[in-house]
Amino acid sequence: MTAARVLRLAQVSRTVSDLARAVAFYRDALDFRVIDEAAHDGLAWGELFGIHGARGQSTTMQLGAQQLKLVAFDPAGAAYPPHSQSADLWFQHVAIVVSDIDAAYNRLRAHAFTPISEGGPEQLPPATGSVIAYKFRDPDGHPLELIQFPAGTGNAMWQNTPGLFLGIDHSAIDVANSDESIDFYTRLLGFRLVSRSVNSGPAQQRLDGASQDVVEVLALQPGPPDPPHVELLCYSKPAGRAISKTAQPNDIACDRLVLQVDELEKMVDTLRANRVEFLSPGIVAGFGNPGAALVRDPTGHLLLLCS
């Protein structure tokens, strides 16, 4: 019997404290556009997220061919943890491809954000692709990355897309154990491991705003090779803080990878058989056919599974 698998990373779902402020930031600083707005107040919404009586407002935004959903919960959860670092395990960034990183950085500087990288954009060495990148935080503290690929590198989509801000290349999440996470994402979800490298040195340290920075980077591709993909970041230095066992989806730091699955019911059965933690009671109706389910990966990141 063929195993169920993830077909694509459909979108990143990001919890925000002030929906209007977040929408304005992503629209004005990064060129996202609004494609949908919705109110969520039915019983199924709280059931899906494991928060009884929860309601919410969401705005779906698009950049290029990729989507980001901003969600404000009622009741609101915990604020983004103060003094967060790139090695803290709740770290999850959205990497935005740009055609001219200096112009994109200057555009960003006209808006309210918090730097992660030291100074401005940083070019990484050839061993890590010679990309130019810059990391920062949105008004809620969520990490983001601007990334410019050298000509002829990166996904072919980025070579033919016009504009300054082109789209979302990947979402990167910190993981506690690289081998355990590879097993989870490849064996249980059907991702393919397409690259594995270790990044360190002065340029990486300036990019992450951390001293003695050593991080293993694992690129995972679901289904076709179109963006976005998922990257796992496993820091051996510095040591990061773990995700709280009481973290809830309405907490600001609890982003969700929204994964489209070919056979949701079979996937849920597989995850249950492997004792994966569910926040939803299983598949919750009302979110497409047959519905959706919310689980945690081995580190504690949230995955919203849908058909």
Side-chain angles (χ1 to χ4, degrees):
M1 181 181 295
T2 304
R5 63 190 180 93
V6 171
L7 298 175
R8 67 188 183 106
L9 171 56
Q11 60 185 204
V12 176
S13 178
R14 175 154 277 185
T15 304
V16 301
S17 62
D18 183 325
L19 186 57
R21 180 183 68 173
V23 168
F25 176 80
Y26 283 89
R27 180 193 63 217
D28 298 341
L30 303 171
D31 273 359
F32 282 79
R33 62 185 179 89
V34 174
I35 60 171
D36 185 59
E37 296 176 306
H40 311 279
D41 57 6
L43 293 175
W45 176 258
E47 188 178 28
L48 177 63
F49 290 102
I51 306 172
H52 179 71
R55 298 178 295 173
Q57 299 280 337
S58 69
T59 299
T60 302
M61 307 191 76
Q62 186 162 319
L63 180 64
Q66 294 78 44
Q67 294 182 3
L68 174 70
K69 177 172 283 189
L70 304 175
V71 184
F73 281 88
D74 179 16
Y80 205 93
H83 313 299
S84 290
Q85 303 294 322
S86 294
D88 291 329
L89 293 179
W90 54 81
F91 181 94
Q92 177 171 351
H93 81 225
V94 173
I96 298 169
V97 183
V98 297
S99 58
D100 182 335
I101 200 164
D102 291 328
Y105 176 60
N106 286 333
R107 168 83 167 273
L108 174 66
R109 291 174 67 189
H111 302 274
F113 73 98
T114 302
I116 294 176
S117 300
E118 298 173 1
E122 186 70 38
Q123 181 163 21
L124 297 179
T128 53
S130 298
V131 300
I132 307 173
Y134 180 76
K135 291 183 180 180
F136 61 101
R137 297 184 184 275
D138 73 6
D140 272 310
H142 294 291
L144 293 142
E145 180 180 45
L146 301 179
I147 184 168
Q148 179 180 336
F149 292 100
T153 68
N155 191 279
M157 176 179 288
W158 309 131
Q159 310 304 317
N160 304 307
T161 302
L164 178 57
F165 297 93
L166 307 183
I168 297 173
D169 183 71
H170 63 270
S171 183
I173 59 176
D174 283 12
V175 297
N177 182 292
S178 56
D179 290 335
E180 181 183 30
S181 294
I182 290 171
D183 178 71
F184 174 84
Y185 280 92
T186 59
R187 182 174 61 87
L188 299 185
L189 299 185
F191 281 80
R192 293 176 290 112
L193 178 64
V194 294
S195 69
R196 187 171 189 170
S197 63
V198 176
N199 294 1
S200 62
Q204 185 68 41
Q205 292 171 20
R206 290 190 293 270
L207 178 65
D208 284 342
S211 60
Q212 299 181 336
D213 205 15
V214 180
V215 56
E216 186 176 21
V217 181
L218 307 111
L220 300 173
Q221 184 67 51
D226 298 329
H229 66 274
V230 175
E231 287 190 359
L232 308 181
L233 308 178
C234 189
Y235 283 83
S236 54
K237 293 181 181 179
R241 293 172 286 176
I243 296 173
S244 169
K245 294 185 182 300
T246 61
Q248 295 297 314
N250 58 342
D251 293 343
I252 299 299
C254 288
D255 284 353
R256 295 157 296 281
L257 296 177
V258 181
L259 304 176
Q260 182 183 355
V261 178
D262 59 354
E263 298 182 76
L264 182 58
E265 293 176 346
K266 185 184 292 186
M267 174 68 76
V268 166
D269 289 343
T270 297
L271 297 179
R272 286 202 183 283
N274 284 270
R275 299 183 179 180
V276 171
E277 180 184 353
F278 278 72
L279 280 79
S280 64
I283 297 174
V284 178
F287 303 92
N289 184 21
L294 187 66
V295 302
R296 293 191 196 273
D297 78 356
T299 299
H301 293 286
L302 300 182
L303 309 176
L304 184 58
L305 308 175
C306 59
S307 293

